[in-house]
Amino acid sequence: MHVTSNILNMSGLGDSLLLNVFGNRFWHEQWFGGPAASASAQEADDMYMWLWWFCVAWFVFLMVLMAYFVVAYRRRPRVIAQRSAAHNVPLELAWTIIPTLFLAYIFFRGFHSYMDRVVSPGNAVEMNLTGWKWSWKIEYPNGAESTAQTVIGARPVPVFYVPAEQPIKLRMNSMDVMHAFWVPDLRLKQDVIPNRYTTMTINFDKPREGETVHTYPATQELADNDPKYREFAGNLYNKALAGVEYTEHHVFCAEYCGTEHSEMAAIIRVIPPQYFPEYLESIGIGSKTPLEIGQIVWKSKCASCHNIDGANTGPEWRNLYGNEHEYTDGSKFVADDNFIRESIREPGKHIRKGYTNQMTPWSENLLPEKHVLGVIEYMKSISNKGGAAAPESAPAPATGEAEKK
C-alpha cells in the first residue's frame, strides 16, 4: 500500500511538473510576465502557446527528417545516383492538404477570438475614451470622468475604475495625432485615430490566479498616515471605494506620438461590480453645484500641478482669484473670470512670472464650459477676494514665452 501510495504521489508530482513546464503557468512567467486578466486574454495566450508547440513539433520533425535524408541518401563512392522522380502525387497531396488543415484551424480559431474582441455584446457598458499628447481620459455613461491619479515614471497619470465581469465598449478618438490604446494584461491594442471613431471591447474577470489584489484604504485617517496610500490621501480620497479590493492593469500608448510618448500611461483599476454604481455617483456632476464641479475638476485634472498650499510645479490656486499677478512680459493682470477662462483655453498666452509652461490647452472637447465655470467658482471659494474682480477687466493680448500658468 505504501509503495502504491508513493507511486501515485510521484505520479501526481510528475503531472504537476509537466503542467507547470508545458502549461500556461510556466509560459506566462517566461513570455507574458503575468496572468491574463480575462477569458479572451487567456484564449490569446492559449492560441499563442498552441502555435508555439505546433511550430516546435514541425521544426523538430523536419530537422530529424532532414538529418535522416542527409545520411540515408548521401553520395557514395562508385555508386550512381538514382534519377529523381518528376513528381509524386500522393506525397504532393499530403504536403498540401495536411498543412492546409492546420492553417484552416488556426484561421477559424483566431477569427472567432478576434470577433469576440471587436463585436461588443448587447449588455456592454459604453464609455468614451479620448487620447491626446500625452494622456488619456474616459467619460463614463453618466458623463463623469475619473477623479483619481497616480504616478508612473516622471508625472501623474489618470486612474480609471471599471467593474469586473462586465463587458465594456470603448468608443475611442484622438484629439491630435494617432495613438494606440494598449492594455498588456488583456493582450489588446487598438489604434486611436483623429477625426474618426475606433472601438474596443474590454472585459476584466474577477481576480485570477497569480494576480495581485490591492485594498483601497478603509478610512481617510489610514490613507493619510500610511505612505503606501499617499495617492488616496487628502482631497483624492473617495469614500465610495473605502475598503474595496481591486486589481491594477497598466495602459500604454503603443504608437510613437512625440516627445512624451513614453509617459503616456494610465492605470485601470478593476473593482467588484456591486461597487461601481456607487463610484459613478460619487464622481458624477449631473446634480452637483458649480463649486462641487470645480472641486471635482481640480482633483482629477489640476491638483497634480496646481495645489492650494504652494507645493506643486504650477502657481498656487489659493488667493489667485481677484488678485493682481505679474507676467513674464512685465504686464500685470487681475485674475478675474475672463482671465481664468482664457488661461485655461490658451495657457501660453499670458505667462506667470517664475514658471515654465507644461500645461495642455484645454479645448471645449477636453473641458466643457460647465467645467470651466466650476473651476472659477472653486477658485473664488479659496480666494481672499472671491468675486472682487470686475468681469469686464479682460486682459489685452500679450505675447510671452511658453510657460505654465
Side-chain angles (χ1 to χ4, degrees):
M1 289 292 293
H2 293 292
V3 173
T4 303
S5 177
N6 290 334
I7 292 175
L8 290 175
N9 289 336
M10 292 178 64
S11 175
L13 289 173
D15 291 343
S16 177
L17 180 62
L18 288 173
L19 180 63
N20 278 325
V21 173
F22 294 100
N24 284 318
R25 187 182 310 168
F26 173 80
W27 293 107
H28 275 133
E29 296 299 326
Q30 300 303 313
W31 301 115
F32 307 119
S38 70
S40 61
Q42 184 63 55
E43 169 62 21
D45 292 353
D46 293 342
M47 185 64 184
Y48 180 93
M49 294 316 306
W50 189 91
L51 287 170
W52 162 260
W53 290 117
F54 175 76
C55 294
V56 167
W58 275 100
F59 175 79
V60 172
F61 170 72
L62 292 174
M63 293 304 100
V64 170
L65 198 62
M66 181 184 70
Y68 170 74
F69 288 158
V70 167
V71 174
Y73 298 102
R74 70 187 185 278
R75 185 180 182 88
R76 293 180 173 85
R78 297 182 298 278
V79 176
I80 299 175
Q82 296 181 12
R83 180 169 179 159
S84 299
H87 64 86
N88 186 310
V89 174
L91 181 61
E92 291 170 1
L93 288 175
W95 73 37
T96 301
I97 294 174
I98 293 175
T100 300
L101 293 175
F102 282 111
L103 291 174
Y105 170 77
I106 293 169
F107 169 78
F108 284 107
R109 183 173 176 180
F111 177 76
H112 285 295
S113 177
Y114 171 77
M115 294 303 292
D116 288 341
R117 293 162 179 259
V118 299
V119 179
S120 302
N123 64 335
V125 176
E126 292 194 13
M127 301 181 186
N128 296 320
L129 180 138
T130 303
W132 71 93
K133 296 187 295 186
W134 287 272
S135 190
W136 308 96
K137 76 167 183 175
I138 284 182
E139 182 179 319
Y140 293 105
N142 65 346
E145 298 175 14
S146 175
T147 60
Q149 290 184 325
T150 188
V151 176
I152 297 179
R155 61 185 179 87
V157 299
V159 176
F160 308 126
Y161 286 89
V162 300
E165 303 178 281
Q166 172 67 59
I168 298 168
K169 178 181 179 180
L170 294 178
R171 182 189 294 109
M172 302 185 290
N173 184 38
S174 170
M175 296 296 297
D176 37 49
V177 300
M178 181 182 290
H179 302 282
F181 189 74
W182 178 34
V183 188
D185 289 347
L186 290 179
R187 321 301 190 229
L188 284 175
K189 181 187 80 70
Q190 177 62 56
D191 288 340
V192 182
I193 303 171
N195 302 319
R196 63 174 292 186
Y197 291 120
T198 54
T199 60
M200 172 192 286
T201 302
I202 62 175
N203 189 355
F204 290 93
D205 291 346
K206 60 184 179 181
R208 300 166 71 90
E209 182 180 359
E211 284 192 88
T212 302
V213 178
H214 308 270
T215 303
Y216 202 93
T219 64
Q220 178 72 68
E221 183 180 4
L222 182 60
D224 291 339
N225 295 331
D226 193 330
K228 70 180 179 181
Y229 294 143
R230 62 187 181 278
E231 68 177 276
F232 302 116
N235 290 297
L236 295 180
Y237 182 80
N238 191 321
K239 294 180 180 179
L241 297 173
V244 173
E245 293 186 341
Y246 64 88
T247 57
E248 284 193 344
H249 308 275
H250 288 76
V251 175
F252 301 100
C253 178
E255 186 79 29
Y256 181 72
C257 55
T259 55
E260 295 187 42
H261 163 71
S262 62
E263 300 293 334
M264 189 171 173
I267 291 288
I268 295 178
R269 288 187 177 143
V270 183
I271 61 177
Q274 64 269 27
Y275 296 103
F276 189 65
E278 186 177 353
Y279 169 73
L280 283 187
E281 179 65 25
S282 72
I283 65 171
I285 64 172
S287 60
K288 296 190 184 305
T289 66
L291 176 58
E292 291 171 329
I293 293 173
Q295 290 175 312
I296 291 173
V297 173
W298 174 72
K299 292 177 189 178
S300 61
K301 302 181 185 299
C302 311
S304 60
C305 293
H306 298 282
N307 212 320
I308 57 176
D309 58 6
N312 287 124
T313 57
E316 180 183 359
W317 276 18
R318 183 181 54 184
N319 296 330
L320 185 148
Y321 185 93
N323 288 288
E324 187 178 70
H325 306 281
E326 185 177 357
Y327 296 85
T328 54
D329 61 354
S331 60
K332 295 182 180 181
F333 297 111
V334 173
D336 64 0
D337 294 37
N338 286 320
F339 187 85
I340 291 171
R341 183 184 184 280
E342 184 181 56
S343 299
I344 293 171
R345 300 300 190 204
E346 302 177 70
K349 190 171 183 179
H350 302 288
I351 312 305
R352 182 79 171 269
K353 186 176 180 180
Y355 294 94
T356 58
N357 185 31
Q358 301 172 19
M359 183 170 170
T360 301
W362 291 90
S363 65
E364 175 74 21
N365 291 327
L366 291 177
L367 197 69
E369 197 65 27
K370 186 176 182 179
H371 294 192
V372 173
L373 294 174
V375 167
I376 294 172
E377 290 303 313
Y378 178 61
M379 285 186 171
K380 288 180 180 179
S381 72
I382 57 175
S383 174
N384 58 359
K385 294 186 179 179
E392 293 80 12
S393 58
T399 303
E401 298 174 14
E403 292 187 13
K404 187 169 184 177
K405 289 303 288 173

